[in-house]
Every structure is written in structure tokens, then in C-alpha cells.
Amino acid sequence: MLQPGEPVREAYEQLVTEKGISGAEVIRQALMEMHARHRQQRPRTEHLKEAG
């Protein structure tokens, strides 16, 4: 839960207002971007474990 006064809450509210999308959509998009970054980093991490 995002508490009032938290910097992340302010960013969340700005995205909802400025992009004109729902709060759920903000979270969906953030999750998909985070997942994509994770997938890009994962093969490198696994390769390093094999080499070590």
C-alpha cells in the first residue's frame, strides 16, 4: 500500500493524472517493464554462475 507522503505515491499519482490512465494500468506497465529488465539481466547472471 502506498502511504501518503511517500515519494513513490507522488510519482504514482502524477502518472495517473498526467497519462490519464488508471492506477492499475500504472502498476501493470511498471511490472512489465521490471519483468523485461529482469529477463535481460537473468541470462548474464546464470552465465556467470556457470563460469564460476
Side-chain angles (χ1 to χ4, degrees), residues 1-13:
M1 175 173 242
L2 302 175
Q3 301 297 321
E6 284 185 73
V8 72
R9 169 89 181 243
E10 185 177 328
Y12 169 82
E13 290 176 357

Side-chain angles (χ1 to χ4, degrees), residues 34-45:
M34 186 178 189
H35 183 256
R37 283 193 307 270
H38 171 73
R39 298 284 297 187
Q40 288 175 351
Q41 293 172 349
R42 196 168 141 208
R44 285 186 258 154
T45 304

Side-chain angles (χ1 to χ4, degrees), residues 1-36:
M1 175 173 242
L2 302 175
Q3 301 297 321
E6 284 185 73
V8 72
R9 169 89 181 243
E10 185 177 328
Y12 169 82
E13 290 176 357
Q14 283 179 344
L15 286 167
V16 169
T17 302
E18 293 173 10
K19 294 188 82 153
I21 59 177
S22 70
E25 186 61 26
V26 168
I27 294 168
R28 279 187 202 96
Q29 289 182 20
L31 178 60
M32 293 309 294
E33 289 177 21
M34 186 178 189
H35 183 256

